[in-house]
């Protein structure tokens, strides 16, 4: 059996190289409508990644769809590209929502995916999707994306808490733009520039500390040993260290943090009985 780490590396490679693999049986599609990225992941009946595609998103804000038509168009185009690569139709999908989002907004997310021509068989909480890939039975999974920070806490393979706050990588970018007196677009580039990681960290450290304090607060009533960090914003230098200093818990950073949740969403597709 491939490890979760292997599966994540394979999935990231498929996205980065825009290639696909020969699938086994029917296909399952995960649609992650993120604040910063829209990602479609395709896995087969053996749950092996076979294809994936990512697109920078501006149509979603804090987990809520702000431009329905554009979001639907993009998902439809991404689906079409994958179908051309795979030489077959994609039918069954799952999508995800930040924990705590209203049922009305969750319905809108599912509608975007359906209007792009997919059948939505399931809607999961984002950090729950991440936990499925990582096969987490105990501990907290924290997904720090562009607009939201969500957490799912597991005990004996059962979810006991699912929470979310509207803060993430975009918040870091705004703080950086303000501190350096530059545009948000410029700040976004600098934030991801490894050569400026120390300077960036010194400016946005308080934002990370706030995120870690949030998680510490959520976990305060529970006995937890491990925190698994996923989501693009967790790529920031020293992010895990700040979380450890604040919470004093064991921090685990799985590979390919941008793709853990999108990959996990596909694992939640329910294929109909034949
Ligand atoms: N190398 C990097 N260094 C720092 N930040 C990064 C890096 N790569 C991506 N990010 C940040 O990660 C965020 C995007 O992460 P992700 O794709 O997990 O978010 P999302 O799923 O679109 O958003 P959300 O889950 O909040 O709706 C952006 O704010 C982006 O700037
Ligand atoms: Mg996300």
């Amino acid at each position: 059996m491939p490890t979760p780490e292997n599966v994540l590396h394979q999935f990231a490679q498929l996205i980065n190289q825009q290639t696909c693999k020969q699938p086994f049986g029917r296909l399952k599609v995960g649609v992650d409508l993120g604040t910063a990225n829209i990602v479609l992941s395709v896995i087969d009946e053996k749950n092996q990644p076979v294809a994936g595609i990512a697109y920078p998103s501006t149509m979603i804000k804090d987990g809520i769809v702000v431009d329905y038509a554009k979001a639907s168009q993009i998902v439809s185009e991404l689906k079409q590209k994958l179908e051309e690569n795979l030489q077959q139709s994609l039918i069954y999908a799952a999508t995800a929502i930040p924990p705590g989002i209203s049922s009305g907004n969750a319905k809108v997310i599912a509608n975007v995916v359906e209007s792009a021509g997919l059948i939505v068989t399931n809607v999961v909480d984002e950090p729950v999707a991440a936990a499925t890939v990582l096969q987490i039975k105990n501990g907290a999974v924290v997904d720090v994306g562009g607009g939201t920070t969500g957490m799912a806490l597991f005990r004996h393979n059962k979810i006991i808490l699912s929470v979310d706050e509207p803060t993430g990588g975009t918040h870091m970018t705004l703080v950086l733009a303000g501190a350096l007196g530059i545009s948000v677009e410029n700040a976004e580039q600098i934030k991801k520039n490894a050569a400026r990681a120390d300077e960036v960290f010194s400016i946005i450290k308080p934002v990370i500390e706030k995120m870690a304090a949030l998680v510490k607060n959520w976990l305060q009533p529970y006995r937890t040993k491990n925190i698994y960090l996923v989501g693009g914003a967790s790529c920031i230098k020293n992010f895990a260290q700040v979380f450890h200093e604040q919470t004093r818990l064991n921090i685990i950073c799985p590979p390919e943090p941008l793709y853990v949740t999108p990959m996990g969403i596909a694992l939640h597709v329910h294929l109909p009985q034949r």
Side-chain angles (χ1 to χ4, degrees), residues 32 34 126 143 145:
D32 188 351
E126 287 164 358
D143 182 350

Side-chain angles (χ1 to χ4, degrees), residues 29-32 41 94-96 124 126 129 260-269:
V29 187
V31 181
D32 188 351
S41 48
T95 190
V124 281
E126 287 164 358
V260 183
T261 300
M263 172 75 210
I265 299 171
L267 292 168
H268 284 269
V269 172

Side-chain angles (χ1 to χ4, degrees), residues 34-37 126 145-148 169-170 188 191-192 231-233 235-236 258:
T35 307
N37 295 297
E126 287 164 358
T148 58
T170 310
E188 178 70 20
K191 186 181 75 172
K192 294 184 196 166
C235 295
I236 287 283
L258 278 159

Side-chain angles (χ1 to χ4, degrees), residues 10-21:
Q10 276 175 31
F11 179 50
Q13 209 173 9
L14 291 168
I15 292 187
N16 295 335
Q17 297 177 356
Q18 273 310 285
T19 51
C20 58
K21 284 205 327 206

